[in-house]
């Protein structure tokens, strides 16, 4: 008898054994997908990770239903890496598999399918089965796998669906609709009836009396002689020093024709610039130090000021790898950053850059997956957010983790709750690849690892072009309110600085950390604040839609006209978010063009790009935003950054609050003055003397590091202790309270290390589920593997208690 061992895309820790025929056994390889029945009537796409002849003893192996692949689509490197993630982060291998694969490669019986809009289908090219599915979708907008099984009257429908997805006929239903189309740029070319190499004499002759038009044509020849890049309308009109009306006349005469290209695709067309990048002396030195460090160490931390030109150093390092045909992975904390970076990298590497992140459709992700698998030159460099770590690399030589301190590298929910930086280091190890971590404000952990020689350390202490760091001015809010030097939330100092910047045609960024400081509605008579019915939080006021909304579960209601508690109509808004800041701003600077960047204005695939584009193009003068602004965006005309209130970040109940505040303030401040002129930063705070704020002002990273390190040792936190956080959830308040107490007691009796809790978190109910947390602190000196085994055992005995079985427990290793 012949068997395969498979992973199912379910939260199951075990692998499962299925039967195959002898012929199938010889055909299949690890890393191929098979469709298997599971449970009563469900079908799943499973992954083969082993083949053998050992019959399972506990159950009777079912037969597989279908083999989906002709060759492996998952590499052995990936399987090993996924097993490491499951074991280190204490989750099911099925969770990792499900999280790693683009959903189009993971059809299951629940999947809903619909027809792709706005594509023309060549009906003749469909097989009979494919046509039947296609036809059914002309009558109803979506189908379940079950429906398709009925329509085709057979069980094995996954291959048909997969083919239809590949042929762009079908899409999975969950795909987000694209709301914003990427910006199209208008280009011109000579009408197809002309040929650049002949007959131009005639053309110019015919324009002899139309001098202005002739000038445009001449400018066009000039530009196209220089390089083969497409010529935009704007560029042509500017070069000819002409007007678009004259160009329009030429288009009407059919001498030129215009066409559009999506802005982010432009670099695909031309050749990448002959490498014009010259490193400065400081960059050159850092570059060599990194290379030297790589001869003895696997990981190097590049600690360089904001705007010191770290990206250019990454580019040089990548360039070295390309010649050898190896693959490079470039991880970013935030997909919002990809457009800017992809643009920068494509200038050097042309079409060798692939992009991978969750806002891409599953078809786009499948395409990149295949390119990486085939080691296609089109995906030799992959830029992506943390999930790019799961791609089928077979030949990695370098992983860059940019802004390595960012907490978005840690996945919170659902499992696997992995840290992409740490998982990248493990992945690199399998490939014998090097890892470069980069940041202006490294995480305490990474800097500690560098200090203790676990990582190499390279520092750049000057900005590129010797631009000065911005001058930082602190405004004492207590004093300003007392002296009535405030207009709304704006101090006179900040208003004057904005006025000065605007008068010079410079741009301004205002930073408002919205978390924990959202606008709410309060009754002035009884003090009632409307709460979410399902979560333990106040509803947030959104003026734009005149709604109250819950940021945790999405619940929304119209803004009440009277208090639900005492019926008073005296309601007032309290607290301030980005929206209110923007509104006050418009009142103070009625002529300035303002924009806002936060979770509400950046929905949709191109939400970020839209705002970043308009700020870059200077259609927006003052940009108000949340933490998204802190992440490595490069704007050259920003001379002023205002931090509306530094205190909200500082006093978060979290052991990383000071570290994060330092990072956030230093990073937003770093957006100011990136070209010749020194920039300015105004920080408004009630505590100008507070240590972290002082450290930001002095750009004293090491001071911050030492102070925090000292605290971490005393209070038993990373890097001295590893933190595992258990989160228990249930709709029954008493049950979760008792259950968490039970688990806490068992844990503290069986572990010889600090166990804290069970704690009621600041937000102790979300979507009607009550929450308790338990924190386990494992000293670095204790082997983590055996501790995890003990924890796992206790979790199993917890599950075995009948009344606690329904409590959900989430394990977060290296809680961030
Ligand atoms: P960082 O990532 O360290 O904050 P960047 O890589 O964004 O810094 O560089 C800051 C600015 O300086 C960017 O506008 C970049 O284009 C420019 N720059 C950096 N190095 C060079 C170089 N060697 N040649 C030309 N421009 C550079
Ligand atoms: Zn809610
Ligand atoms: Zn009231």
């Amino acid at each position: 008898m012949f068997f395969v061992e498979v992973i199912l895309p379910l939260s199951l820790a075990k692998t499962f054994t299925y039967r195959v025929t002898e012929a199938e056994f010889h055909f299949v390889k690890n890393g191929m997908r098979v469709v298997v029945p599971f449970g009563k009537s469900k079908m799943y796409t499973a992954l083969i990770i082993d083949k053998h002849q050992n019959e399972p003893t506990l159950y009777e192996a079912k037969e597989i239903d279908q083999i989906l692949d002709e060759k492996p689509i998952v590499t052995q490197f990936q399987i090993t890496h996924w097993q490491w993630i499951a074991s280190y982060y204490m989750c099911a291998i099925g969770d990792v598999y499900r999280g790693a694969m683009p959903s189009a490669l993971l059809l299951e019986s629940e999947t809903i399918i619909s027809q792709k809009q706005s594509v023309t289908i060549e009906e003749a090219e469909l097989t009979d089965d494919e046509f039947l599915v296609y036809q059914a979708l002309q009558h109803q907008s979506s189908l379940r796998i079950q429906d398709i099984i009925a329509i085709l009257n057979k069980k094995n429908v996954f291959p048909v669906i997969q083919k239809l997805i590949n042929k762009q006929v079908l899409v999975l239903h969950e795909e987000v609709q694209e709301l914003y189309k990427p910006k199209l740029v208008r280009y011109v070319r000579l009408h197809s009836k002309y040929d650049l190499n002949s007959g131009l004499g005639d053309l110019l002759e015919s324009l002899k009396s139309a001098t202005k038009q002739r000038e445009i044509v001449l400018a066009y020849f000039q530009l196209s002689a220089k390089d083969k890049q497409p010529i935009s309308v704007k560029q042509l009109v500017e070069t000819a020093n002409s007007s678009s009306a004259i160009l329009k006349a030429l288009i009407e005469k059919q001498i030129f024709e215009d066409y559009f290209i999506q802005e982010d695709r432009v670099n695909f067309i031309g050749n990448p610039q002959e490498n014009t990048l010259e490193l400065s002396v400081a960059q050159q030195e850092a570059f060599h130090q990194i290379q030297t460090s790589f001869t003895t160490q696997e990981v190097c931390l590049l600690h360089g000021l904001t705007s010191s030109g770290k990206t250019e150093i990454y580019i040089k390092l990548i360039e070295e790898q390309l010649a050898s045909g190896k693959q490079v992975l470039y991880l970013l904390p935030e997909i919002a950053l990809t457009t800017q970076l992809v643009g920068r990298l494509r200038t050097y590497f042309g079409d060798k850059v692939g992009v991978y992140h969750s806002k891409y459709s599953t078809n786009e992700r499948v395409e990149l997956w295949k390119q990486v698998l085939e080691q296609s030159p089109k995906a030799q460099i992959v830029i992506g957010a943390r999930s790019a770590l799961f791609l089928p690399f077979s030949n990695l030589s370098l992983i860059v983790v940019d802004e390595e301190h960012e907490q978005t590298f840690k996945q919170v929910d659902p499992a696997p709750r992995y840290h992409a930086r740490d998982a990248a280091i493990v992945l690199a190890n399998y490939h014998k690849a090097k890892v470069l971590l980069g940041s202006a404000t490294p995480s305490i952990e990474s800097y500690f690892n560098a200090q203790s020689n676990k990582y190499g350390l390279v520092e750049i202490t000057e900005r590129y072009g010797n631009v000065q760091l911005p001058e930082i001015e602190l405004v004492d809010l207590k004093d300003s309110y007392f002296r009535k030097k405030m207009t709304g939330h704006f101090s006179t100092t900040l208003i004057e600085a904005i006025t000065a910047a605007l008068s010079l045609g410079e741009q301004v960024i205002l930073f408002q950390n919205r978390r924990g400081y959202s606008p709410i509605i309060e009754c002035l008579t009884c003090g009632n604040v409307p709460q979410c019915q399902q979560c333990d939080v106040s509803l947030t006021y959104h003026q734009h839609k005149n709604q109250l909304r819950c940021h945790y579960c999405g619940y929304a209601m119209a803004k009440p006209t009277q208090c639900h508690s005492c019926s008073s109509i005296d309601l007032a808004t309290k607290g301030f978010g980005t929206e209110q800041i923007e509104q006050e701003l418009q009142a103070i600077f009625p002529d300035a063009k303002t924009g806002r960047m936060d979770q509400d204005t950046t929905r949709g695939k191109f939400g970020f790009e839209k705002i970043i584009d308009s700020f870059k193009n200077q259609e927006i003068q003052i940009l108000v935003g949340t933490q998204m602004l802190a992440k490595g965006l490069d704007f050259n005309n920003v001379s002023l950054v205002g931090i509306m209130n530094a205190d909200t970040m500082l006093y978060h109940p979290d052991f990383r609050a000071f570290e994060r505040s330092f990072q956030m303030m230093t990073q937003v401040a770093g957006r100011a003055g990136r070209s010749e002129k020194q920039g300015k930063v105004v920080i408004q705070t009630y505590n100008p003397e507070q240590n972290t704020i002082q450290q930001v002002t002095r750009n004293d990273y090491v001071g911050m590091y030492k102070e925090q390190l000292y605290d971490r040792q005393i209070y038993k936190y990373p890097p001295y202790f590893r933190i595992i956080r258990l989160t228990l959830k249930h709709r029954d308040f008493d049950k979760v309270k008792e259950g968490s107490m039970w688990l806490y007691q068992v844990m503290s009796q069986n572990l010889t290390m600090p166990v804290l809790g069970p704690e009621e978190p600041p937000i102790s109910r979300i979507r009607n589920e009550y929450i308790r947390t338990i924190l386990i602190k494992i000293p670095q000196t204790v082997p983590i593997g055996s501790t995890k085994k003990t924890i796992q055992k206790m979790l199993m005995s917890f599950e075995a208690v009948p009344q606690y079985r329904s409590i959900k427990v989430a394990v977060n290793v290296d809680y961030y």
Side-chain angles (χ1 to χ4, degrees):
M1 289 207 284
F2 300 91
F3 301 98
V4 288
E5 203 64 26
V6 303
I7 311 175
L8 286 166
L10 298 169
S11 199
L12 300 167
K14 284 192 303 177
T15 57
F16 292 83
T17 311
Y18 282 85
R19 265 183 80 164
V20 288
T21 64
E22 183 171 0
E24 286 169 335
F25 185 79
H26 293 300
F27 176 75
V28 296
K29 299 195 177 71
N30 292 353
M32 286 188 187
R33 294 169 306 152
V34 283
V35 180
V36 298
F38 188 77
K40 274 216 184 79
S41 61
K42 296 219 169 114
M43 291 287 188
Y44 289 99
T45 301
L47 184 74
I48 302 179
I49 57 161
D50 196 13
K51 25 192 234 180
H52 56 79
Q53 292 188 277
N54 314 324
E55 193 172 4
T57 47
L58 293 175
Y59 55 95
E60 196 187 338
K62 292 185 189 167
E63 279 173 38
I64 66 158
D65 198 81
Q66 173 86 25
I67 300 170
L68 281 179
D69 298 310
E70 277 156 25
K71 43 187 194 224
I73 64 158
V74 170
T75 66
Q76 192 56 47
F77 280 128
Q78 287 173 288
I79 296 173
T80 315
H81 191 222
W82 296 356
Q83 282 165 335
W84 177 83
I85 290 179
S87 140
Y88 184 85
Y89 291 103
M90 299 178 74
C91 66
I93 183 72
D95 286 327
V96 188
Y97 170 50
R98 192 178 47 201
M101 303 283 283
S103 48
L105 295 176
L106 270 192
L107 297 175
E108 56 186 52
S109 23
E110 255 90 309
T111 311
I112 298 176
I113 279 154
S114 45
Q115 192 187 330
K116 187 159 179 156
Q117 297 303 310
S118 66
V119 286
T120 18
I121 312 268
E122 291 295 335
E123 294 182 8
E125 282 178 16
L126 302 179
T127 64
D128 289 351
D129 278 352
E130 290 167 7
F131 183 73
L132 282 174
V133 177
Y134 168 69
Q135 208 182 26
L137 280 169
Q138 308 310 305
H139 302 293
Q140 58 198 103
S141 59
S142 64
L143 293 172
R144 291 180 173 279
I145 301 279
Q146 288 307 326
D147 304 330
I148 297 176
I149 290 174
I151 292 165
L152 299 182
N153 192 21
K154 63 173 176 188
K155 274 195 330 188
N156 308 335
V157 299
F158 283 14
V160 178
I161 298 169
Q162 197 87 63
K163 292 227 174 67
L164 283 168
I165 291 176
N166 295 347
K167 288 184 180 173
Q168 308 271 326
V169 178
L170 299 185
V171 284
L172 303 191
H173 203 64
E174 73 211 302
E175 282 191 39
V176 276
Q177 294 296 314
E178 298 176 20
L179 295 174
Y180 172 74
K181 290 271 174 258
K183 200 158 184 165
L184 294 176
V185 180
R186 193 161 154 243
Y187 288 86
V188 274
R189 60 187 164 217
L190 213 52
H191 195 276
S192 50
K193 63 186 181 203
Y194 295 99
D195 178 350
L196 258 182
N197 303 313
S198 64
L200 295 182
D202 293 349
L203 171 55
L204 289 174
E205 185 65 27
S206 73
L207 292 173
K208 218 165 68 187
S209 51
T211 344
K212 289 247 156 101
Q213 296 184 5
R214 211 178 121 104
E215 270 166 14
I216 291 200
V217 175
L218 282 171
Y220 179 84
F221 291 145
Q222 240 177 37
L223 285 172
S224 49
K226 240 185 7 214
D227 58 11
K228 298 257 174 290
Q229 298 276 340
I231 297 169
S232 72
V233 168
K234 186 160 167 265
Q235 191 188 7
L236 181 57
V237 170
E238 271 170 18
T239 311
N241 202 2
S242 186
S243 74
S244 43
I246 296 167
L247 180 60
K248 190 164 165 243
L250 283 165
I251 292 172
E252 275 162 10
K253 273 193 185 168
Q254 296 206 334
I255 290 176
F256 283 123
E257 57 192 3
D258 58 354
Y259 62 106
F260 293 86
I261 310 180
Q262 203 175 304
E263 194 162 53
D264 61 342
R265 304 275 168 181
V266 175
N267 288 311
F268 271 116
I269 298 164
N271 287 319
Q273 281 172 12
E274 280 307 311
N275 190 5
T276 50
L277 178 66
E278 286 245 12
L279 296 185
S280 70
V281 176
Q283 285 173 320
Q284 193 71 40
E285 200 172 310
F287 176 70
H288 285 308
Q289 286 174 5
I290 294 168
Q291 282 177 317
T292 312
S293 148
F294 279 159
T295 58
T296 55
Q297 267 166 316
E298 307 313 312
V299 184
C300 179
L301 172 64
L302 173 61
H303 175 208
L305 293 185
T306 53
S307 205
S308 56
K310 295 184 287 297
T311 318
E312 285 67 22
I313 297 178
Y314 306 150
I315 289 172
K316 279 284 182 201
L317 285 166
I318 293 171
E319 196 172 54
E320 288 202 323
Q321 307 306 324
L322 287 191
S324 62
K326 301 258 188 168
Q327 296 168 313
V328 174
L329 171 61
Y330 191 132
L331 290 177
L332 281 169
E334 176 71 66
I335 49 187
L337 295 177
T338 43
T339 314
Q340 266 207 353
L341 186 77
V342 170
R344 277 167 88 173
L345 292 200
R346 281 191 180 145
T347 329
Y348 295 97
F349 305 121
D351 63 1
K352 291 201 167 70
V353 184
V355 184
Y356 192 79
H357 63 58
S358 61
K359 278 199 185 176
Y360 273 46
S361 73
T362 155
N363 279 331
E364 288 170 303
R365 278 187 270 167
V366 170
E367 198 184 314
L368 192 84
W369 185 284
K370 294 200 166 139
Q371 287 173 343
V372 172
L373 186 69
E374 289 156 9
Q375 297 195 47
S376 150
K378 279 195 159 53
Q380 215 183 334
I381 308 165
V382 175
I383 300 184
R386 57 175 186 249
S387 60
L389 205 61
F390 294 119
L391 284 165
F393 296 104
S394 45
N395 197 10
L396 266 178
S397 65
L398 175 68
I399 303 181
V400 174
V401 185
D402 197 5
E403 312 291 350
E404 68 84 31
H405 63 278
E406 277 291 343
Q407 80 187 92
T408 40
F409 278 127
K410 179 77 156 93
Q411 169 144 321
V412 182
D413 269 318
R417 300 181 177 82
Y418 63 104
H419 196 300
R421 175 194 61 215
D422 302 342
I425 292 173
V426 173
L427 180 66
N429 192 20
Y430 298 143
H431 289 264
K432 305 267 167 283
K434 302 292 177 185
V435 181
L436 183 65
L437 311 178
S439 175
T441 52
S443 62
I444 302 274
E445 282 91 335
S446 293
Y447 202 73
F448 179 80
N449 283 332
Q451 291 296 333
S452 36
N453 279 327
K454 224 173 127 187
Y455 303 164
L457 176 63
V458 174
E459 314 214 49
I460 316 180
T461 51
E462 65 183 61
R463 288 181 131 191
Y464 178 73
N466 267 318
V467 175
Q468 281 179 287
L469 278 176
E471 167 209 351
I472 298 184
E473 182 167 355
L474 299 179
V475 173
D476 185 344
L477 283 175
K478 220 183 315 156
D479 183 70
S480 296
Y481 275 111
F482 182 73
R483 291 172 198 276
K484 306 226 174 340
K485 284 185 167 174
M486 294 292 290
T487 311
H489 296 91
F490 289 80
S491 62
T492 310
T493 312
L494 183 53
I495 293 175
E496 283 168 3
I498 297 174
T499 312
L502 293 182
S503 71
L504 294 171
E506 295 160 353
Q507 290 171 291
V508 178
I509 287 178
L510 295 179
F511 175 76
Q512 167 58 24
N513 186 3
R514 189 174 56 167
R515 293 223 173 266
Y517 221 134
S518 308
I520 52 164
I521 298 271
E522 190 186 48
C523 169
L524 294 178
T525 311
C526 76
N528 175 54
V529 173
Q531 305 286 310
C532 178
Q533 290 168 2
Q534 310 185 64
C535 314
D536 162 38
V537 289
S538 307
L539 293 170
T540 303
Y541 176 48
H542 287 253
Q543 174 169 37
H544 167 67
K545 286 194 170 153
N546 204 32
Q547 273 182 344
L548 297 182
R549 283 226 295 264
C550 171
H551 286 184
Y552 288 84
C553 73
Y555 168 81
M557 63 185 271
K559 182 191 168 192
T561 46
Q562 40 178 236
C563 173
H564 287 315
S565 168
C566 75
S567 298
S568 154
I569 52 163
D570 256 347
L571 304 179
T573 46
K574 235 185 136 177
F576 65 120
T578 42
E579 205 175 316
Q580 196 179 347
I581 294 297
E582 193 190 8
Q583 204 188 23
E584 290 182 7
L585 198 58
Q586 283 161 352
I588 305 173
F589 299 98
D591 297 329
K593 281 167 286 180
T594 62
R596 181 157 61 90
M597 177 149 114
D598 56 30
Q599 275 172 38
D600 298 321
T601 58
T602 53
R603 283 209 177 121
K605 183 168 168 186
F606 295 102
F608 280 109
E609 281 86 339
K610 206 162 107 179
I611 295 169
I612 290 171
D613 274 353
S614 19
F615 195 55
K616 252 214 138 119
N617 300 336
Q618 308 199 15
E619 290 154 29
I620 294 175
Q621 292 168 286
I622 310 177
L623 183 61
V624 183
T626 55
Q627 27 270 71
M628 293 172 189
L629 282 175
K631 295 175 190 172
L633 293 166
D634 185 24
F635 302 111
N636 55 24
N637 190 40
V638 174
S639 67
L640 173 68
V641 166
I643 296 178
M644 300 304 298
N645 186 324
D647 308 315
T648 47
M649 297 176 244
L650 287 171
Y651 300 111
H652 233 251
D654 176 353
F655 69 94
R656 286 184 219 267
F658 293 124
E659 176 191 356
R660 283 209 183 118
S661 302
F662 180 89
Q663 288 163 340
M664 212 127 69
M665 284 190 265
T666 305
Q667 293 283 350
V668 250
R671 304 310 114 209
R674 290 172 78 87
S675 42
E676 311 80 50
K677 209 183 123 183
Q678 189 187 20
K680 187 179 169 107
V681 179
V682 174
I683 302 181
Q684 304 191 139
T685 170
Y686 283 98
N687 302 283
E689 297 306 322
Q690 196 273 342
N691 278 352
T692 308
I693 292 189
Q694 286 295 323
Q695 287 150 358
V696 171
T697 313
R698 294 194 304 266
N699 188 39
D700 183 10
Y701 174 81
V702 174
M704 183 284 292
Y705 169 75
K706 286 190 175 146
E707 185 188 354
Q708 294 310 312
L709 203 60
Y710 179 79
D711 281 358
R712 300 281 181 91
Q713 188 155 29
I714 292 192
Y715 299 109
K716 300 193 167 60
Y717 281 112
Y720 300 102
F721 285 75
R722 289 173 204 266
I723 306 278
I724 295 184
R725 190 172 86 147
L726 309 176
T727 306
L728 292 85
K729 287 187 189 174
H730 200 276
R731 298 175 78 92
D732 181 337
F733 178 84
D734 293 324
K735 194 189 270 286
V736 79
K737 199 171 152 197
E738 277 167 36
S740 56
M741 190 45 100
W742 189 97
L743 188 58
Y744 163 76
Q745 275 163 353
V746 174
M747 293 273 173
S748 44
Q749 278 158 18
N750 286 280
L751 294 170
T752 54
M753 54 196 70
V755 179
L756 310 180
E759 194 183 339
E760 197 174 334
I763 292 163
S764 63
R765 183 177 54 121
I766 293 177
R767 290 173 200 271
N768 276 334
E769 287 182 316
Y770 294 92
I771 308 169
R772 285 287 187 278
T773 59
I774 296 171
L775 220 55
I776 303 162
K777 294 177 167 181
I778 311 174
Q780 283 291 356
T781 47
V782 170
I784 188 162
S786 58
T787 308
K788 280 181 188 160
K789 268 199 200 108
T790 317
I791 294 174
Q792 202 83 60
K793 259 193 221 139
M794 289 183 280
L795 288 172
M796 269 152 66
S797 41
F798 180 72
E799 243 174 71
V801 181
Q803 70 264 38
Y804 300 147
R805 189 164 300 149
S806 57
I807 298 179
K808 282 184 268 178
V809 185
V811 183
N812 191 331
V813 177
D814 291 341
Y815 169 64
Y816 237 67

